[in-house]
C-alpha cells in the first residue's frame, strides 16, 4: 500500500515549503482542490516521496501564492486549471490566456465548427445571391 | 514571414481533440501554445452524486484505452481509506490486466506513430499483434474496452487454467513478433529519418516541467510508480525500468518497444506465481469511512493520480483525477520549437496523448 501523510500549513508557509522541497529534488505530483460543505476551499499540494505522497494542505483560503515560478509548468497547469474551473486565485500566476478552451478562436478558422447549420446555409445562399 | 498555424481541435494525427497554435516563420516553428478542454464531460462532478460502486463503473469510462487503470486507481483509493486488504490472487489478476492493457496501448501508439511517418507495413504488423492481445483481454474479461475486472476489494473475474495457457501462448507469439518489429524499427531508414533528432525534450526540461511515464523515461529519467511506490504486489515481480536517452521521437518509439518486453515478463511471472484463494471479498459490501487519500498508478502513459475525499456515507465528497497527459502536454510547446510544421502532428502524438482522459 502506498503511504499518504497530510500536513496542514498556512498560506504563508506554502512558498517556503515548496522552495525547500524543490531544492531537495522532490517532485510535485499534483495540486488538488475541493470545497468543504460550508463553501470553504481546500487546496492540497501533493509531493512524491519514496513509497507514497506527502500532502501539504492549505485550508479556507481562496487567494494563494502561486508556486509556478518554483515548480514551473508542473505547477502552472494545475493552478490554471483550479483558477479556471473553481475560481480560486493564485497571486503571481499569469492568467492572461486560458488553458481550457480559448476565449477567441483564430480569425474564422475553427469557428465554423460551432456555427449553427442554418446560419451556414444562410451565408452560402447570400454568397450565391451576390454572385 | 510569420504566420500562426492552427492544429486541431480535430486532426487526423490525434485520436481526441486538442487545439495547438503554432507560431511559424517559413517552415520553422518558433513557438507554440496548447489549449485543452474540448472533451470535458464533468465526470468529477458526476462522481459526487454517485455511490462507490456506481463510480467504479463510471471512472472506467474516463478513457477508452486505459480504462482498467482508472478503475484500479479508484478502487485502490477506496481500499486505502477503508483499510481493506485485497486478496493476493485478486492483486495478481489486477496486475495481469494492467500489463495486458499497457501492451495493447503501446502497440496502439506504435501503430499510429508508424502510420504518421508513412511506414504502413510496420503499422499493420504491430496492429496485427495488438489484435491478439485484444482477443485475450476479451477471453479473460468478456470485453475489449471496458473490462469491468476491478471491484472494491479485489478482482471481479478469475482466470481459469485454460485461459492461463492461452495467455502464455499469446505472449510467446507476440514476443517473437516483437523481436522482428524491434529489429526492423532499429534498422529502418524511413523510421530513422522521420524520428531521430525530431521533437527533442532534454532531461533538464523533462525534470523542470515534471514529465512522467514513458515520455520521461525516453528523456533519460528512470521514474516508474511500479518501482518508486509499489502497489498491488508489483514488488513481487522482477522487471526493469526501460530508459533511453536520445530524448527524441525515436527514443519514445524505442522505450515503448522495450517496455513491451518488460510487460510480457511481468505477466508470465504473475501467471506462474498466481496464488490460490479468493479473488475478492465475496458478498461483503465494503464500508468506506470518512477520510482522504491520494494514490498513484503507472498507467500505460505514465503516472495516474486519484485523490479521493470521503465523508463516511456511501457517496464520495470529491474525486480528483489527473492523468499522465496533464503532466506531459505542457512539454509539447518545448518539443515543437525549432522543428518544421510537417513534424508537428508527429511531435504532438509522440507524448501518446489521451485528451479525453485529461479533460474527463
Amino acid at each position: 500500500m502506498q503511504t499518504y501523510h497530510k500536513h496542514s500549513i498556512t498560506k504563508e508557509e506554502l512558498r517556503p515549503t515548496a522552495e525547500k522541497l524543490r531544492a531537495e529534488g522532490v517532485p510535485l505530483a499534483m495540486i488538488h482542490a475541493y470545497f468543504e460543505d460550508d463553501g470553504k476551499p481546500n487546496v492540497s499540494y501533493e509531493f512524491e516521496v519514496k513509497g507514497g505522497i506527502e500532502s501539504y494542505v492549505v485550508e479556507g483560503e481562496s487567494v494563494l501564492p502561486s508556486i509556478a515560478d518554483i515548480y514551473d509548468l508542473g505547477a502552472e497547469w494545475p493552478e490554471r486549471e483550479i483558477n479556471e474551473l473553481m475560481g480560486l486565485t493564485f497571486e503571481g500566476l499569469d492568467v492572461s490566456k486560458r488553458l481550457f478552451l480559448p476565449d477567441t478562436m483564430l480569425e474564422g478558422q475553427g469557428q465554423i465548427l460551432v456555427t449553427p447549420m442554418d446560419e451556414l446555409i444562410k451565408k452560402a445562399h447570400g454568397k450565391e445571391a451576390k454572385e | 514571414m510569420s504566420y500562426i498555424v492552427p492544429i486541431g481541435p480535430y486532426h487526423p494525427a490525434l485520436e481526441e481533440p486538442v487545439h495547438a497554435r503554432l507560431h511559424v516563420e517559413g517552415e520553422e516553428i518558433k513557438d507554440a501554445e496548447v489549449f485543452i478542454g474540448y472533451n470535458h464531460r464533468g465526470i468529477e462532478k458526476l462522481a459526487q452524486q454517485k455511490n462507490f460502486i456506481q463510480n467504479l463503473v463510471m471512472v472506467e469510462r474516463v478513457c477508452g484505452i486505459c480504462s482498467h487503470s482508472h478503475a484500479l486507481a479508484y478502487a485502490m483509493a477506496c481500499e486505502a481509506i477503508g483499510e481493506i486488504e485485497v486478496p493476493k490472487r485478486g492483486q495478481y489478476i489486477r496486475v495481469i490486466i494492467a500489463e495486458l492493457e499497457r501492451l495493447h496501448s503501446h502497440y496502439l501508439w506504435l501503430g499510429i506513430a508508424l502510420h504518421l511517418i508513412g511506414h504502413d507495413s510496420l503499422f499493420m504488423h504491430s496492429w496485427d499483434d495488438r489484435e491478439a492481445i485484444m482477443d485475450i483481454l476479451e477471453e479473460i474479461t468478456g470485453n475489449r474496452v471496458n473490462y469491468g475486472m476491478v471491484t472494491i476489494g479485489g478482482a471481479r473475474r478469475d482466470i481459469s487454467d485454460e485461459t492461463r495457457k492461452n495467455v502464455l501462448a499469446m505472449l510467446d507469439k507476440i514476443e517473437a513478433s516483437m523481436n522482428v518489429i524491434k529489429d526492423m524499427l532499429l534498422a529502418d531508414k524511413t523510421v530513422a529519418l522521420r524520428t531521430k533528432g525530431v521533437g527533442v525534450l532534454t532531461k533538464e526540461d523533462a525534470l523542470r516541467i515534471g514529465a512522467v511515464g514513458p515520455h520521461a523515461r525516453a528523456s533519460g529519467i528512470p521514474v516508474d510508480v511500479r518501482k518508486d511506490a509499489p502497489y498491488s504486489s508489483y514488488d513481487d515481480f522482477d522487471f526493469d525500468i526501460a530508459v533511453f536517452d536520445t530524448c527524441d521521437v525515436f527514443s519514445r518509439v524505442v522505450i515503448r518497444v522495450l517496455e513491451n518486453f518488460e510487460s510480457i515478463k511481468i505477466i508470465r511471472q504473475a501467471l506462474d506465481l498466481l496464488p490460490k484463494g479468493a479473488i475478492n471479498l465475496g458478498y461483503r459490501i465494503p464500508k468506506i469511512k470518512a477520510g482522504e487519500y491520494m494514490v498513484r498508478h503507472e498507467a500505460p502513459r505514465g503516472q495516474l493520480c486519484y485523490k479521493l475525499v470521503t465523508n463516511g456515507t456511501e457517496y464520495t465528497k470529491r474525486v480528483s483525477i489527473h492523468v499522465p497527459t496533464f503532466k506531459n502536454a505542457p512539454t509539447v510547446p518545448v518539443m515543437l520549437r525549432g522543428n518544421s510544421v510537417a513534424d508537428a502532428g508527429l511531435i504532438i502524438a509522440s507524448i501518446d496523448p489521451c485528451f479525453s482522459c485529461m479533460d474527463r
Side-chain angles (χ1 to χ4, degrees), chain A residues 87-101:
Chain A
L88 305 188
T89 304
F90 292 90
E91 288 172 332
L93 179 69
D94 178 12
V95 290
S96 58
K97 284 178 182 169
R98 282 183 69 85
L99 174 64
F100 283 80
L101 305 177

Side-chain angles (χ1 to χ4, degrees), chain A residues 9-117:
Chain A
I9 56 167
T10 62
K11 73 174 189 179
E12 289 75 25
E13 289 170 327
L14 174 60
R15 280 186 61 86
T17 304
E19 279 164 358
K20 178 176 164 286
L21 292 167
R22 183 62 160 177
E24 290 170 6
V26 178
L28 174 71
M30 194 41 65
I31 306 173
H32 294 118
Y34 69 93
F35 290 103
E36 294 286 0
D37 295 337
D38 58 6
K40 284 185 180 166
N42 192 319
V43 184
S44 48
Y45 296 77
E46 327 279 4
F47 293 92
E48 292 171 30
V49 293
K50 200 82 182 165
I53 289 290
E54 295 292 318
S55 178
Y56 292 85
V57 186
V58 183
E59 290 161 354
E61 301 284 354
S62 54
V63 180
L64 296 119
S66 169
I67 59 164
D69 57 324
I70 303 168
Y71 271 94
D72 212 285
L73 289 162
E76 188 186 316
W77 273 44
E79 286 183 354
R80 286 173 72 183
E81 181 190 59
I82 294 168
N83 172 257
E84 290 176 25
L85 299 185
M86 303 183 80
L88 305 188
T89 304
F90 292 90
E91 288 172 332
L93 179 69
D94 178 12
V95 290
S96 58
K97 284 178 182 169
R98 282 183 69 85
L99 174 64
F100 283 80
L101 305 177
D103 288 327
T104 52
M105 299 294 286
L106 212 61
E107 299 76 35
Q109 300 185 46
Q111 201 63 37
I112 197 165
L113 298 170
V114 291
T115 305
M117 188 54 79

Side-chain angles (χ1 to χ4, degrees), chain B residues 325-344:
Chain B
T325 303
F326 193 70
K327 301 278 281 180
N328 290 334
T331 65
V332 168
V334 178
M335 294 191 295
L336 285 170
R337 277 175 213 135
N339 286 274
S340 77
V341 178
D343 288 329

